[in-house]
Amino acid sequence: MIKLPGVLTSNSNNKIYVGFNLGERFCQISYCTNDGRVDTISAIAGGEEYNIPTVLCKREGVNQWFYGREAVKYAAENDGVLIDNLLGKALDGEPVLIEGVNYQPISLLSLFIKRCMSLVQAASNDKLQGVLFTADYMDYDHMEILREAVGALKLKAEKIYFQSHMESFYHYMIHQPNELWQAGCILFEYETDEIKVYRMVSNLHTDPVVVYIEDSAFPMPDGSRTNEPDMEYELLQMDKTFTNIARDACETEKTYSVFLIGSSFSDNWMKESKKYLCGKYRVFQGSNLYSKGACFGLIDRMLDLQVGKDNIFLGNDKLTANIGMNILRQGDLKYFALLDAGVNWFDADAAFDFYIQDTNVIEVRVCSLIGGGDFTASISLDEFSGKLSRMHAHLYLENVKSLVVEIEDLGLGEFRASSNKVWRESIALY
């Protein structure tokens, strides 16, 4: 096996772009500077220890806080209180009781991110342009919690973005040589008690090429026994189980490259599975794919690069259709694009004003990119007279499958007062 590759052919002009992977157990931070390379920060100076434990520790009796490896160390020495599951606690919103004092979980998450970001400042004096946070799952609630935690830091960054691990995998791969992903690639992630499998699939018959990721998960044997005979048996079972998982995943569809990430993959037990994978595929192992993918994703958003311009990623949290309206412009009926496929559903938002006359029906065109078919949804403006009026339209998604269209009657100044009427329609996208 070889390390994860990661090179960006671009000049970022003495500016720094940061990808921050906020994992449940560990986080990693990657960055790109003006030399065009994407590097990952080591938790130990001069080493390659990319995993930073996602924990805090408050030293007993004093207001002194540690994070990452130092937090684990002080807690192990019974000199502090360890706080883990920082993102989960922030999502729950319940105060965290530490030595008789309640702490807001968002403040704890914010403190952890702040300490981690100090490593970025130590690694580079370049101007921070943006940060992209990636996590296993990303929806509106996750994004809002992270936005609040990061907002308290007052980072001197122009842009803050968020994306899921699945999307970070996509951005990482499209910056690699084409054969690594267009010929078929699979990612295996093993951190806790299961192996996650991500298969990247490209539909070359569409323009642009639609890329999506098929995901699944499989339980793994415990492997935590300390009794030597039992432990040897458990490790053997782990190897056998993973070999079967890998064989089923890789041989179901055409596969060229395999990526292994996660702290639970180890040479201590990977015997037959490694022999099988390395004998048939190009295999890469590491821990920082998601943080590098986040860094690439940030650059793809902020810089005008040609990488991935011919592709569109449609993940589980993506809008899978182009949405627009036919409107009259200078006497000609033209298509007016409102929402583009490929944006996160919780980021999809469009608002505009338009004029309407001699009708009380608004039509919205939905053009699916995943084979769901194209259709036109009609919205009836009940009780509207049909006289010339200015309307305000607001389109957004309430979930990945449901588009909401709100139309408000604004009237026409002194010629016709607003009726203050608002029409709301929910449209199923598939």
Side-chain angles (χ1 to χ4, degrees):
M1 299 186 200
I2 58 178
K3 292 181 184 178
L4 294 172
V7 177
L8 176 73
T9 55
S10 170
N11 190 321
S12 52
N13 298 321
N14 296 316
K15 299 174 182 178
I16 183 169
Y17 303 83
V18 173
F20 193 122
N21 173 31
L22 185 61
E24 181 180 342
R25 296 176 60 201
F26 301 99
C27 74
Q28 300 89 22
I29 304 172
S30 296
Y31 67 98
C32 177
T33 53
N34 63 322
D35 62 0
R37 292 184 55 85
V38 175
D39 295 314
T40 304
I41 293 174
S42 174
I44 299 177
E48 293 185 354
E49 296 293 338
Y50 301 137
N51 284 343
I52 303 170
T54 312
V55 294
L56 288 172
C57 178
K58 181 185 179 299
R59 195 167 184 177
E60 291 185 358
V62 294
N63 189 28
Q64 188 175 12
W65 295 80
F66 303 95
Y67 79 105
R69 293 174 180 272
E70 273 196 312
V72 174
K73 173 189 171 186
Y74 274 93
E77 295 172 351
N78 297 317
D79 196 25
V81 180
L82 191 71
I83 308 100
D84 60 3
N85 191 26
L86 296 174
L87 181 56
K89 286 180 170 64
L91 287 164
D92 290 340
E94 294 295 325
V96 180
L97 185 63
I98 305 173
E99 293 188 312
V101 178
N102 280 323
Y103 291 86
Q104 292 302 315
I106 287 186
S107 298
L108 297 176
L109 178 61
S110 182
L111 175 61
F112 175 78
I113 294 173
K114 180 180 181 180
R115 294 292 175 86
C116 289
M117 288 300 295
S118 67
L119 295 173
V120 177
Q121 296 170 353
S124 174
N125 293 320
D126 290 344
K127 183 180 178 183
L128 182 62
Q129 295 298 293
V131 183
L132 191 150
F133 291 89
T134 186
D136 178 38
Y137 182 71
M138 190 66 68
D139 61 6
Y140 182 82
D141 291 337
H142 283 72
M143 185 180 67
E144 286 300 296
I145 287 295
L146 284 170
R147 183 173 284 138
E148 185 174 349
V150 173
L153 303 181
K154 296 181 171 56
L155 291 176
K156 294 181 179 179
E158 292 184 4
K159 299 289 183 180
I160 305 293
Y161 294 100
F162 310 92
Q163 69 185 26
S164 66
H165 280 170
M166 198 176 291
E167 187 170 0
S168 293
F169 175 39
Y170 162 78
H171 281 286
Y172 177 85
M173 291 309 305
I174 64 171
H175 281 268
Q176 308 310 316
N178 287 346
E179 67 270 12
L180 285 183
W181 59 278
Q182 287 185 347
C185 69
I186 293 180
L187 169 68
F188 295 102
E189 179 185 355
Y190 185 24
E191 283 288 359
T192 53
D193 57 352
E194 67 177 12
I195 285 186
K196 296 178 182 177
V197 183
Y198 295 146
R199 176 189 295 279
M200 189 167 165
V201 180
S202 303
N203 186 349
L204 301 178
H205 301 294
T206 60
D207 186 16
V209 173
V210 172
V211 181
Y212 59 96
I213 293 174
E214 298 173 342
D215 64 303
S216 54
F218 301 90
M220 285 287 285
D222 188 352
S224 62
R225 302 189 187 188
T226 56
N227 180 276
E228 189 169 337
D230 288 342
M231 182 178 65
E232 184 177 349
Y233 173 78
E234 289 289 354
L235 295 180
L236 185 63
Q237 290 301 109
M238 290 170 65
D239 195 18
K240 180 180 178 180
T241 301
F242 178 53
T243 301
N244 291 334
I245 293 171
R247 181 177 287 111
D248 289 345
C250 294
E251 296 181 6
T252 300
E253 302 285 346
K254 182 180 178 182
T255 302
Y256 178 81
S257 61
V258 172
F259 293 79
L260 307 177
I261 65 171
S263 58
S264 294
F265 281 122
S266 169
D267 288 340
N268 291 337
W269 61 268
M270 294 176 65
K271 309 298 184 188
E272 290 301 317
S273 53
K274 182 186 291 188
K275 181 179 178 181
Y276 165 74
L277 288 172
C278 293
K280 299 190 68 173
Y281 311 104
R282 292 196 64 184
V283 181
F284 303 87
Q285 185 173 4
S287 63
N288 55 343
L289 183 147
Y290 290 141
S291 64
K292 284 188 172 183
C295 196
F296 286 130
L298 177 63
I299 295 164
D300 290 342
R301 285 169 168 81
M302 295 189 67
L303 300 182
D304 187 21
L305 303 179
Q306 293 304 308
V307 177
K309 291 292 186 181
D310 297 329
N311 308 315
I312 183 168
F313 174 64
L314 297 182
N316 293 340
D317 50 6
K318 296 293 185 179
L319 174 62
T320 59
N322 292 318
I323 297 170
M325 296 173 60
N326 289 326
I327 64 171
L328 200 63
R329 272 186 176 175
Q330 298 178 339
D332 295 326
L333 197 63
K334 295 182 179 180
Y335 177 76
F336 181 44
L338 298 173
L339 297 173
D340 294 329
V343 300
N344 293 321
W345 71 263
F346 43 82
D347 287 333
D349 192 283
F352 64 100
D353 292 349
F354 65 99
Y355 292 94
I356 186 172
Q357 186 178 20
D358 297 332
T359 184
N360 65 346
V361 175
I362 302 296
E363 293 185 339
V364 176
R365 290 182 57 190
V366 178
C367 302
S368 175
L369 295 187
I370 59 172
D374 302 343
F375 64 92
T376 299
S378 297
I379 302 169
S380 179
L381 308 183
D382 297 332
E383 302 178 10
F384 176 64
S385 65
K387 294 181 179 180
L388 178 64
S389 185
R390 184 164 63 99
M391 298 285 182
H392 177 75
H394 182 204
L395 286 77
Y396 61 94
L397 272 71
E398 55 185 0
N399 57 59
V400 73
K401 298 180 180 180
S402 184
L403 170 70
V404 175
V405 180
E406 294 179 348
I407 306 292
E408 180 183 0
D409 180 14
L410 300 178
L412 201 63
E414 61 183 21
F415 296 102
R416 195 183 75 80
S418 167
S419 66
N420 296 317
K421 179 75 174 177
V422 177
W423 297 269
R424 186 180 188 276
E425 189 79 19
S426 183
I427 301 171
L429 297 177
Y430 60 91

